């Protein structure tokens, strides 16, 4: 019976910690901040509630792990343009690193 009570108390404590972490993440000053910033800011203030991974886990449980706050939604990446040469000398491309020109090396005498 003692083991069962211990497990119930542990689960109740975990639920209470989840509520505290979720309420902290939803405060106006932290609404648009990632968990790494929240944990660091709380440590700067001398408080430690939970680890960064626990913050992520709690936010995932509350379905709040998506983009937080006023962040712009990610744009879909367009498919890369593919070029295909049908014959010899039909496709030309620039190799931009080679277009930098002469570079002065130590010990050389360029004018």
């Amino acid at each position: 019976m003692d083991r069962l009570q211990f497990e119930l108390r542990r689960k109740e404590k975990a639920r209470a910690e989840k509520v505290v972490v979720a309420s902290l993440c939803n405060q106006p000053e932290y609404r648009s901040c990632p968990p790494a910033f929240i944990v660091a800011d709380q440590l700067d203030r001398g408080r430690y509630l939970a680890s960064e991974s626990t913050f992520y886990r709690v936010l995932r449980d509350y379905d709040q792990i998506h983009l937080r706050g006023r962040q712009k939604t990610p744009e879909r990446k367009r498919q890369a343009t593919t070029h295909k040469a049908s014959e010899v000398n039909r496709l030309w491309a620039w190799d931009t690193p080679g277009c930098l020109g002469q570079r002065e090396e130590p010990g050389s005498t360029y004018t």
Side-chain angles (χ1 to χ4, degrees):
M1 191 69 173
D2 290 328
R3 182 73 179 159
L4 180 61
Q5 288 176 347
F6 173 77
E7 287 296 320
L8 289 174
R9 271 191 250 125
R10 187 179 63 82
K11 288 181 181 180
E12 186 176 314
K13 183 180 175 188
R15 274 190 231 114
E17 287 175 347
K18 281 184 179 181
V19 170
V20 170
V21 168
S23 65
L24 177 69
C25 290
N26 291 325
Q27 287 181 0
E29 62 183 307
Y30 294 127
R31 275 192 194 140
S32 61
C33 299
F37 177 83
I38 299 171
V39 170
D41 191 51
Q42 288 295 307
L43 285 173
D44 287 343
R45 295 178 185 195
R47 290 181 247 158
Y48 179 80
L49 290 176
S51 67
E52 184 179 338
S53 61
T54 302
F55 270 79
Y56 275 107
R57 189 171 34 254
V58 168
L59 288 174
R60 192 177 327 115
D61 291 345
Y62 281 87
D63 194 31
Q64 294 180 6
I65 200 63
H66 48 81
L67 294 175
R68 296 177 53 79
R70 303 179 325 193
Q71 294 177 351
K72 185 177 169 185
T73 56
E75 296 177 7
R76 293 186 66 171
K77 300 225 178 209
R78 65 185 183 127
Q79 191 174 13
T81 308
T82 56
H83 302 288
K84 186 175 180 180
S86 57
E87 298 175 21
V88 177
N89 286 330
R90 285 288 187 181
L91 180 65
W92 290 75
W94 286 95
D95 183 14
T96 55
C99 294
L100 295 175
Q102 285 185 337
R103 280 180 262 167
E104 200 170 316
E105 296 179 15
S108 66
T109 55
Y110 288 119
T111 55

